[in-house]
Each structure stands twice: as C-alpha cells, then as structure tokens.
Amino acid sequence: MAIHIESLQIEQFRGIHQLAISHLNHINLIAGDNNCGKTSFLEALLLLRNPRDFTNTLRIARLRDNLTMYSGTSTYESLLTLFPHDFLNEEETRMIELRAHCAGMDVFYSLQGKLQTILLDSEEQKSLLRYYSYKAKDVLPSECQAFQGTLLVGIGDSQQQSNISFHEYSLVSGRDVANDRFLNMIYLAPFDHLRGSLFSRILTNESYKNLCVSILQLFDPGITDLLLLKNETTNRPVECVKHKDLGTMPLSTYGDGIKKVLSIASGIAKALNGILLIDEVETAIHSRYFEEIFRFIASACRKFNVQVFITSHSIEAIDAFLSIEDYDKTPVEEDPINVVTLKKDAHSFRSYARVLSGHHVYQNREQFGFEVRL
C-alpha cells in the first residue's frame, strides 16, 4: 500500500481550524456535510506538493477561480481567501499553518503576515500599462494594498525562511516555478474532465491503455481503442475513440462519464509514486458504474504506488468503494481504506475529523445503517 502522507495537522487554512488526523491510509474517503471543509482539506494537502515555493501557494489560491470562465477576482484577492476569515480588523496578522509527516519526514509550513499600503515603484507602474487596461494618459496608481510577511518551511532537519510581498497588481504568470517538487501530487477538480488533454500519460503504457479501454466499455461495449490523431487543418492533436461500429470518433462527441473516467485514469498515471486528490469523485458518473470504476481506481493506484484522497457527497459512492474490498478475508490491519468524516463546530469554529477503517464502516453500514456523513 502507498502511504506517502501518514498524518496531517492543519492549524489554520481557509475555514479549517485545529484539524488533526494521525493515521492516513492508502485510500482516504473524505466525507461530511456541505461547507465542512472537504475541498479545503485537499487544498491544504496541495501545500505539501512544494511547500518552499510561494508560487505553488498562489496556484492553489487560484484553483477555485479557474473553475469560473469569467472570474474578476485578482490573484491577490484569491490569496487572501486562503487565510481564515474570522479577523477583528484589517491590521490582524494573517496566518496559514500546517504540519505533516510525509515521505518519512516531519514537514512544517507557516505563511504569516499583514496587509499594508505600499508605494509602487516606476517599474511596477510601467507593468500596469502592459498587463492592465491603463493607457499612457491615465493617472497610474502610486500606492496599493499588499500582503507582506514570511514563509517558513521546515522539512526534516532543514528550515527555510523567505520574505513575501505580494500586492493587488502582482501576477502569477512569469513567476518562477520550482521543478523539484517535494511530493508528486495531482489534483482533479470536479469538472477537470471537461478541459481535454486526457490521453498523454495513458497512451504511453499499452497495458494501462487496454485496462482503461475495458473500463470505458462499461459505458459503450463498442469502444476498442484510444487514439491521438493530427487534425490536418489545424495540425493539432485530436483525442479520438475507436469504435467497432462507428469507426474513429473524436472524444468530444462522447458524454461526460467517459471523459471523467479518462481524467481519473490520466491523473493516476501522472501521480506515479505520489498522491492523487479527487474532488467529488461521483461527478458525471452514474451510480450503476460506481463499483467497477472504483475497483479500477483502487487497482490502478496500487499498480502506480499512488496514495489517494477522495471527497464525496454521495453515500452510494462511499458504499460502492467499501464494497470492492472482501472484508471477510482482508485482515483489519491490512485494510487499505479509511473513511474520514469532517465536521465543523459552529460555536468554536474548530474542525474535527472522525477516522474509521473501511472495515468498521462497512460492517456498521450493513448492520445498523451507519451514517458516515455526520
């Protein structure tokens, strides 16, 4: 079993306060009511992808805005949403802090600072002409709001502290991105399957491609192959599905269920020896296919040495995931599944997690109608 992140403690991140989970597993099903912090939990894990790289933090801040086609939110505004909102005034110190034990080491991440008014230098003013709708005749702003603070990261015995200054006109594009990720981590948003580019990793492994085709045949038994062909007009690659009756068809002509499965399959391959985060796994998949698709996810993650974290609003999806294990034969100590139920206390704002083995939840769901979403 792949367990790259063994434990996680989130002191503060978005709406999560003082959440501690000590025993994470190979497959972690994240359940809970709406607005309990399931997506925020996955985003907090993403901070561990490359904790020393502030650009990684900015990209996490933009994840939710990327789901909106015409988001008017600036990167600066998105960054501020990562900090807990229960501040008394604008002068309060804002802080994100978490700890984890992963890759055999203790990891500490702390970003803290304050909002301040700063002066823009002449070079920054010139950049406004290039990237924003200002014209040369306009009066350019000479000052703006900025987050100024420090990023402190500890990995094992080493520590690194960086000074951070990011203002309301700062951009993510053009910033350096660290290539040496601490953890190989892939995040799949609920509608990532609509973005295309799903074949790249699948087609490099023939046996894995054949496995993916067999899963797609749940939706359409006529599917026989996946192809990447060149459009003769645009010279761009086109993802296609080969069908025994219909011939070669562009993937775009198929429904969301097939695209969702391919998105997950591609994500598993990209997360080789790392971690896959799937937000709302049931999106676009009919419940009748849950068990077979989830069996494929479990098998592929084991094959590629991938630890997986999956959020779901669906009790049917959780039941289907638990049903793939033969709990009459699997020893409790070898159970690869945890069900993590998140809950937020409305009075203290503190977050709680109830962690149960898949074996325990499965038995109680069968016998007592056990509710995992509370």
Side-chain angles (χ1 to χ4, degrees):
M1 293 188 292
I3 305 179
H4 305 295
I5 301 178
E6 299 176 26
S7 63
L8 180 69
Q9 180 178 336
I10 304 172
E11 290 297 329
Q12 294 189 94
F13 178 78
R14 287 200 189 272
I16 299 178
H17 295 260
Q18 298 179 302
L19 176 67
I21 303 177
S22 56
H23 297 290
L24 294 167
N25 210 335
H26 173 57
I27 298 173
N28 301 274
L29 307 178
I30 315 300
D33 205 349
N34 288 332
N35 202 38
C36 69
K38 296 189 293 297
T39 299
S40 295
F41 179 82
L42 298 186
E43 291 171 334
L45 287 171
L46 277 171
L47 291 171
L48 300 171
R49 178 171 54 188
N50 198 331
R52 298 188 183 97
D53 183 13
F54 181 62
T55 303
N56 179 59
T57 302
L58 295 176
R59 292 183 182 277
I60 295 168
R62 295 295 287 172
L63 280 177
R64 302 191 190 191
D65 298 310
N66 291 339
L67 298 177
T68 305
M69 186 174 297
Y70 300 108
S71 174
T73 306
S74 69
T75 304
Y76 174 75
E77 292 171 313
S78 298
L79 173 64
L80 297 188
T81 66
L82 297 184
F83 298 93
H85 306 310
D86 50 340
F87 294 104
L88 297 177
N89 57 63
E90 289 295 303
E91 297 178 358
E92 289 272 5
T93 297
R94 283 158 160 74
M95 182 171 68
I96 299 168
E97 185 174 302
L98 62 84
R99 301 173 185 273
H101 188 76
C102 47
M105 293 182 282
D106 291 322
V107 179
F108 173 75
Y109 174 100
S110 176
L111 175 65
Q112 57 181 301
K114 293 184 177 182
L115 305 188
Q116 298 180 4
T117 300
I118 64 169
L119 296 176
L120 293 172
D121 61 33
S122 58
E123 288 301 315
E124 289 176 312
Q125 286 183 309
K126 290 178 183 178
S127 71
L128 298 182
L129 292 173
R130 295 195 297 270
Y131 296 108
Y132 295 95
S133 58
Y134 292 100
K135 299 177 181 178
K137 64 179 181 180
D138 292 333
V139 178
L140 297 175
S142 59
E143 60 182 36
C144 66
Q145 287 291 307
F147 170 83
Q148 295 193 302
T150 58
L151 173 60
L152 176 62
V153 176
I155 300 179
D157 295 328
S158 67
Q159 280 196 353
Q160 177 178 308
Q161 181 170 307
S162 307
N163 293 324
I164 302 297
S165 180
F166 196 82
H167 58 71
E168 54 188 318
Y169 298 112
S170 297
L171 300 170
V172 178
S173 59
R175 298 180 66 90
D176 292 335
V177 178
N179 293 320
D180 55 337
R181 289 184 175 183
F182 176 62
L183 292 172
N184 182 25
M185 192 179 296
I186 302 297
Y187 171 75
L188 298 180
F191 297 101
D192 269 357
H193 59 282
L194 302 179
R195 300 179 186 275
S197 301
L198 306 177
F199 285 9
S200 58
R201 294 299 178 93
I202 296 174
L203 297 184
T204 60
N205 185 321
E206 187 69 20
S207 63
Y208 188 54
K209 183 190 74 169
N210 293 335
L211 178 60
C212 294
V213 169
S214 69
I215 294 299
L216 296 184
Q217 288 171 348
L218 291 172
F219 299 89
D220 185 343
I223 294 175
T224 60
D225 203 358
L226 302 175
L227 306 169
L228 196 60
L229 305 177
K230 185 179 292 185
N231 184 304
E232 295 181 359
T233 303
T234 64
N235 210 32
R236 293 180 178 179
V238 179
E239 296 173 326
C240 297
V241 172
K242 189 174 181 179
H243 194 282
K244 65 180 181 181
D245 299 320
L246 303 176
T248 302
M249 304 286 290
L251 178 63
S252 59
T253 63
Y254 280 85
D256 288 352
I258 285 179
K259 296 172 187 173
K260 178 74 171 190
V261 171
L262 287 171
S263 175
I264 293 173
S266 179
I268 294 171
K270 290 178 182 177
L272 175 68
N273 297 321
I275 296 148
L276 178 64
L277 312 176
I278 308 176
D279 200 4
E280 298 183 19
V281 68
E282 70 274 12
T283 301
I285 300 176
H286 194 283
S287 57
R288 79 176 72 167
Y289 304 120
F290 279 171
E291 187 172 338
E292 288 299 324
I293 291 173
F294 296 163
R295 192 181 302 279
F296 160 71
I297 292 174
S299 174
C301 284
R302 193 180 291 270
K303 173 184 174 68
F304 284 86
N305 192 36
V306 173
Q307 184 180 21
V308 60
F309 294 83
I310 297 171
T311 73
S312 178
H313 291 286
S314 168
I315 193 66
E316 292 79 15
I318 293 172
D319 281 342
F321 236 115
L322 296 176
S323 69
I324 68 177
E325 284 295 316
D326 186 354
Y327 282 117
D328 292 330
K329 298 181 180 179
T330 303
V332 175
E333 62 273 14
E334 296 179 13
D335 188 350
I337 299 175
N338 273 0
V339 178
V340 181
T341 305
L342 302 182
K343 187 175 182 180
K344 187 183 297 183
D345 189 303
H347 301 290
S348 67
F349 297 104
R350 184 173 178 177
S351 301
Y352 296 90
R354 181 182 63 188
V355 183
L356 299 173
S357 69
H359 186 277
H360 180 88
V361 175
Y362 180 78
Q363 282 191 326
N364 284 277
R365 282 284 291 149
E366 287 291 305
Q367 297 174 17
F368 308 114
F370 188 75
E371 175 60 77
V372 301
R373 292 175 291 191
L374 294 178

